Amino acid sequence: MEPAVSLAVCALLFLLWIRVKGLEFVIIHQRWVFVCLFLLPLSLIFDIYYYVRAWVVFRLSSAPRLHQQRVRDIQKQVREWKEQGSKTFMCTGRPGWLTVSLRVGKYKKTHKNIMINLMDILEVDTKKQIVRVEPLVTMGQVTALLTSIGWTLPVLPELDDLTVGGLIMGTGIESSSHKYGLFQHICTAYELVLADGSFVRCTPSENSDLFYAVPWSCGTLGFLVTAEIRIIPAKKYIRLRFEPVRGLENICDKFSRESQRLENHFVEGLLYSLDEAVIMTGVMTDEAEPSKLNSIGNYYKPWFFKHVENYLKRNQEGLEYIPLRHYYHRHTRSIFWELQDIIPFGNNPIFRYLFGWMVPPKISLLKLTQGETLRKLYEQHHVVQDMLVPMKCMLQALHTFHNDIHVYPIWLCPFILPSQPGLVHPKGDEAELYVDIGAYGEPRIKHFEARSCMRQLEKFVRSVHGFQMLYADCYMNREEFWEMFDGSLYHKLREQLNCQDAFPEVYDKICKAARH
């Protein structure tokens, strides 16, 4: 009883403090207190509920039986919207704060919300090597189920709460993407409800224009209700090699060479300054040297990016064997390195051992409780961006990131971009190797101004035929946006499927210039 009484007393004192100082003051200046006392326990409860629910649903095989009824309900909502005069655009009814993107979607308040309750894994077919899922299935659900039966996705993006729908309608990447491409490139079929309430299935050979136009369209061609995704046999461990590299030219050369070696199942780089990085290469294996086994996903372990940095500080190469699921979600506990700004002592061994089992707080709850003042502070003094640029432009790109925003660490993830129709493809007719440069944190340049600095960075990315991930704040005007992305197939499908009155154009949905 004593711990419970102590916790109750602490909670009471905290509520009194909020009463005196005001909730906004506490959330902005002592946010870690609010996060530790409220959001961490609440996040844990959410995770337990969704894990148990997913396990029960799959074991009872109830999802396939209910799926068709849920799809018919979505069709019914769309037809009712049409019968009522199609007065506003449609969007999913999922609250904006539940998405991983830091952007606040104000359109949810003005558009017709179509409720889509599709959050289950429907089928795992090991003969066809396909998993069939609903759009709100998360990467945490997928890894928990597939790895337990010896399978995995070829590309399994980081962070447990990323959804299949978000990764298709937006995009997704992982350190295996140099072999398999982006998340969309491991998908074999989509099923959608269109603007007239009809149901359609599309594959590379059936309704192929729609199949290639859906990725990156952000729900502006129809409502995704099912996706079929390739699976591959999984092994127990990743044999991960750590190699510190100094000198930017050496870093780019080493990273490019390792990315072209297909015997590497995984390739990743963490850039800690303009001329210091650790490049990691991994191979799946069922065997592990016990002395080199490192279960990095255990709650008491150091945050992964800090663990990697130790190899740089010691200037020492390393080899470790990491359990597969731990590797997939290696950056989840620290939300890459964003959590250090929210809980500054989060990587302290005492905190990890006592409270690490509740980490991380859910991004959705952080968004829900940040308030307008904190949101504006983040917008002006914080960067969360992923820019995709050709590997041949990596040296120039890293100099540009350093000069324009100066945020470290920087995440480096290679991927092969096939020459396929759609919004995103290489400039030429052949597949090309690209790199995702991920910058998350507080810029260290003097007089940082979000709009001007980001427009400068976007201009560079356009100039090298690169792409900006659409989850992040985008400052381009309409002309610049369609200079970056190939809208030919997308606009053709919007006209054919009568989307103009049903869904906003993707630019109007995601760009800051269009929302303010």
Side-chain angles (χ1 to χ4, degrees):
M1 285 295 291
E2 288 185 5
V5 171
S6 300
L7 192 61
V9 170
C10 289
L12 181 61
L13 290 173
F14 181 66
L15 291 172
L16 289 172
W17 187 29
I18 290 176
R19 176 83 174 176
V20 173
K21 289 286 190 179
L23 181 60
E24 187 171 284
F25 177 90
V26 172
I27 287 178
I28 293 174
H29 298 284
Q30 279 86 29
R31 199 176 187 209
W32 65 268
V33 180
F34 182 77
V35 169
C36 291
L37 286 182
F38 291 95
L39 297 193
L40 287 182
L42 194 56
S43 297
L44 183 66
I45 293 169
F46 267 59
D47 284 337
I48 291 172
Y49 167 75
Y50 282 113
Y51 177 81
V52 171
R53 181 196 177 281
W55 185 87
V56 170
V57 166
F58 189 79
R59 294 301 171 189
L60 294 177
S61 299
S62 61
R65 294 198 306 270
L66 296 173
H67 176 72
Q68 292 304 322
Q69 178 56 48
R70 290 170 179 162
V71 171
R72 285 193 292 270
D73 180 63
I74 295 167
Q75 292 178 278
K76 180 182 176 184
Q77 293 179 67
V78 172
R79 286 168 181 151
E80 287 175 351
W81 163 84
K82 196 172 179 65
E83 290 168 1
Q84 292 166 3
S86 312
K87 296 177 182 178
T88 62
F89 289 137
M90 292 184 288
C91 67
T92 64
R94 190 183 188 213
W97 61 269
L98 276 174
T99 63
V100 172
S101 169
L102 295 180
R103 186 173 57 245
V104 178
K106 295 182 179 179
Y107 60 87
K108 295 281 186 180
K109 297 178 181 178
T110 58
H111 294 183
K112 170 65 175 177
N113 283 209
I114 304 298
M115 303 310 298
I116 297 179
N117 183 29
L118 300 171
M119 53 195 301
D120 295 315
I121 297 174
L122 301 174
E123 179 186 9
V124 179
D125 189 331
T126 56
K127 290 183 179 179
K128 294 182 179 178
Q129 297 195 3
I130 292 293
V131 61
R132 188 165 178 262
V133 300
E134 295 179 327
L136 296 182
V137 166
T138 67
M139 292 300 99
Q141 280 176 264
V142 169
T143 48
L145 174 65
L146 290 183
T147 55
S148 71
I149 57 176
W151 293 83
T152 186
L153 299 183
V155 176
L156 207 153
E158 180 65 64
L159 300 181
D160 283 15
D161 289 344
L162 291 173
T163 64
V164 167
L167 294 169
I168 292 170
M169 292 295 185
T171 192
I173 193 170
E174 188 40 83
S175 53
S176 57
S177 288
H178 68 294
K179 286 171 67 76
Y180 300 104
L182 299 171
F183 189 82
Q184 70 205 57
H185 299 127
I186 64 168
C187 296
T188 60
Y190 309 127
E191 293 175 349
L192 299 99
V193 171
L194 301 180
D196 60 357
S198 63
F199 172 87
V200 65
R201 175 182 171 84
C202 53
T203 71
S205 59
E206 178 187 2
N207 297 311
S208 60
D209 278 358
L210 183 57
F211 178 82
Y212 290 115
V214 162
W216 294 73
S217 65
C218 297
T220 60
L221 292 174
F223 294 108
L224 183 70
V225 294
T226 318
E228 291 181 8
I229 311 168
R230 288 173 52 201
I231 58 175
I232 58 175
K235 296 187 177 180
K236 294 180 182 178
Y237 306 103
I238 302 297
R239 184 173 72 245
L240 192 64
R241 186 173 297 279
F242 303 80
E243 185 172 349
V245 185
R246 286 180 165 81
L248 186 57
E249 289 189 8
N250 293 333
I251 292 168
C252 294
D253 181 62
K254 174 71 173 176
F255 188 76
S256 178
R257 281 188 285 109
E258 295 295 348
S259 301
Q260 294 175 59
R261 295 177 57 198
L262 295 184
E263 58 265 36
N264 289 328
H265 297 163
F266 304 93
V267 179
E268 175 184 27
L270 294 185
L271 192 71
Y272 290 92
S273 72
L274 189 59
D275 60 357
E276 293 182 309
V278 177
I279 294 174
M280 291 157 278
T281 55
V283 177
M284 274 201 270
T285 177
D286 282 325
E287 306 297 329
E289 299 176 43
S291 62
K292 295 180 179 178
L293 183 61
N294 185 5
S295 299
I296 58 173
N298 289 342
Y299 69 87
Y300 51 83
K301 290 283 188 174
W303 289 347
F304 183 70
F305 80 98
K306 287 293 187 183
H307 173 63
V308 173
E309 190 177 19
N310 287 332
Y311 283 102
L312 185 65
K313 290 179 177 178
R314 297 195 300 263
N315 197 28
Q316 176 185 353
E317 294 185 13
L319 179 68
E320 297 178 359
Y321 291 83
I322 299 174
L324 180 63
R325 191 160 185 249
H326 288 214
Y327 175 80
Y328 278 141
H329 299 293
R330 62 201 177 281
H331 294 298
T332 293
R333 283 192 300 125
S334 56
I335 316 177
F336 280 88
W337 29 91
E338 291 279 58
L339 196 58
Q340 65 182 348
D341 293 331
I342 298 170
I343 307 177
F345 46 83
N347 195 46
N348 184 285
I350 296 174
F351 181 86
R352 292 200 314 265
Y353 276 88
L354 292 179
F355 304 106
W357 50 277
M358 289 191 290
V359 169
K362 296 188 85 64
I363 295 174
S364 55
L365 294 179
L366 289 171
K367 282 176 62 179
L368 181 64
T369 58
Q370 68 180 354
E372 186 64 17
T373 302
L374 189 59
R375 188 190 67 77
K376 288 181 179 178
L377 284 172
Y378 257 78
E379 185 178 294
Q380 288 300 320
H381 304 289
H382 201 86
V383 166
V384 181
Q385 290 284 349
D386 282 86
M387 298 292 188
L388 315 180
V389 300
M391 185 69 75
K392 62 190 178 187
C393 303
M394 180 178 170
L395 180 68
Q396 185 184 1
L398 291 176
H399 272 297
T400 303
F401 268 73
H402 180 83
N403 294 332
D404 288 353
I405 56 177
H406 200 110
V407 169
Y408 292 98
I410 280 178
W411 191 52
L412 302 174
C413 185
F415 69 99
I416 191 72
L417 185 60
S419 181
Q420 296 177 348
L423 284 159
V424 172
H425 55 75
K427 191 172 185 179
D429 295 330
E430 296 181 357
E432 185 173 352
L433 192 62
Y434 272 62
V435 57
D436 173 9
I437 302 176
Y440 325 118
E442 187 174 338
R444 301 177 197 169
I445 62 170
K446 291 182 179 179
H447 312 300
F448 173 79
E449 199 280 316
R451 179 179 174 80
S452 61
C453 290
M454 289 313 305
R455 279 190 55 77
Q456 197 166 309
L457 188 58
E458 290 167 345
K459 181 179 179 181
F460 165 78
V461 173
R462 290 197 307 275
S463 74
V464 296
H465 198 74
F467 308 95
Q468 180 181 29
M469 282 198 185
L470 300 184
Y471 77 88
D473 281 335
C474 175
Y475 292 84
M476 292 180 283
N477 61 37
R478 193 180 303 272
E479 182 181 352
E480 291 165 341
F481 183 85
W482 290 117
E483 179 187 338
M484 177 179 285
F485 296 97
D486 180 359
S488 55
L489 180 63
Y490 171 78
H491 287 118
K492 171 186 168 185
L493 264 294
R494 286 210 15 117
E495 186 175 347
Q496 284 183 1
L497 300 176
N498 298 315
C499 295
Q500 290 94 333
D501 296 327
F503 306 106
E505 187 183 284
V506 62
Y507 174 80
D508 294 316
K509 194 168 182 180
I510 65 97
C511 278
K512 181 171 286 294
R515 294 181 291 110
H516 293 279

